[in-house]
Amino acid sequence: MRRNTIPTLDEIPNGSRIFIDASIFIYHFTGVSKECRRLLERCEQGGLEGIVSVTLLAEVSHRLMMIEAVSKKLVEPGNVAQKLRSKPSLVRKLGSYQEQIDRIPLMGIEVRPVDLATLHRSRTGRESFGLLTNDSIVLASLEEVEADGLATGDQDFLRVRGLKVFHPNNLG
């Protein structure tokens, strides 16, 4: 499927309940996508109901931590987690990533828990569509909350039959 045939984030109808994947927050916080910023502003203004799972927030936190460590030149790119793991003193120098995570619920984004039942239901996403674990948890979670669709930069979700996927169109 060609990228230009996938509905964009700007095409999400007002009033929709939209599950938001980690990539949207990463693109927003790193300034990569104005469209991601607009999506989150629509949630903050009440035009959309944005939903995320606590599992996704952990993923966003981890990725933003790695990005911050490289941007502050505490470590060189490549195996960033391993480098930070071997030097815990560097982790203590990081904090911007947590401030960004703390802002997400303030954007009008509902944060949903993930329980053992959700994890068990996520198996279907792995077996039926070949999704990796975290992506299959996203699928199970969005089904639980009866979301109208998924906002993501991840092409893997296009394999999920019947799932309405919205992508940012202004990525490099």
Side-chain angles (χ1 to χ4, degrees), residues 7-18 20 24 28 34-51 106-109 148 151 166-167:
T8 68
L9 301 181
D10 289 335
E11 294 174 298
I12 299 172
N14 284 334
S16 295
R17 288 176 52 82
I18 197 79
I20 303 172
I24 301 300
H28 164 70
K34 291 179 182 177
E35 191 176 5
C36 290
R37 185 191 75 229
R38 286 192 304 272
L39 170 74
L40 297 174
E41 287 172 351
R42 288 175 67 196
C43 292
E44 192 168 8
Q45 295 165 359
L48 297 173
E49 285 184 59
I51 307 162
L106 302 176
M107 296 174 175
I109 308 293
D148 297 317
F166 299 90
H167 276 261

Side-chain angles (χ1 to χ4, degrees), residues 97-116:
Y97 75 94
Q98 186 61 52
E99 292 170 13
Q100 292 167 322
I101 294 301
D102 292 344
R103 287 179 32 213
I104 292 172
L106 302 176
M107 296 174 175
I109 308 293
E110 178 185 352
V111 179
R112 302 283 303 198
V114 173
D115 58 18
L116 187 57

Side-chain angles (χ1 to χ4, degrees), residues 63-120:
R63 289 168 62 186
L64 289 175
M65 177 189 274
M66 301 303 108
I67 291 166
E68 181 181 351
V70 171
S71 70
K72 287 185 171 180
K73 301 188 184 323
L74 297 176
V75 296
E76 293 293 320
N79 297 318
V80 175
Q82 177 72 24
K83 292 171 186 172
L84 291 176
R85 190 175 294 115
S86 69
K87 294 184 180 176
S89 62
L90 296 179
V91 175
R92 291 190 285 272
K93 295 180 179 183
L94 302 172
S96 297
Y97 75 94
Q98 186 61 52
E99 292 170 13
Q100 292 167 322
I101 294 301
D102 292 344
R103 287 179 32 213
I104 292 172
L106 302 176
M107 296 174 175
I109 308 293
E110 178 185 352
V111 179
R112 302 283 303 198
V114 173
D115 58 18
L116 187 57
T118 306
L119 180 62
H120 286 300

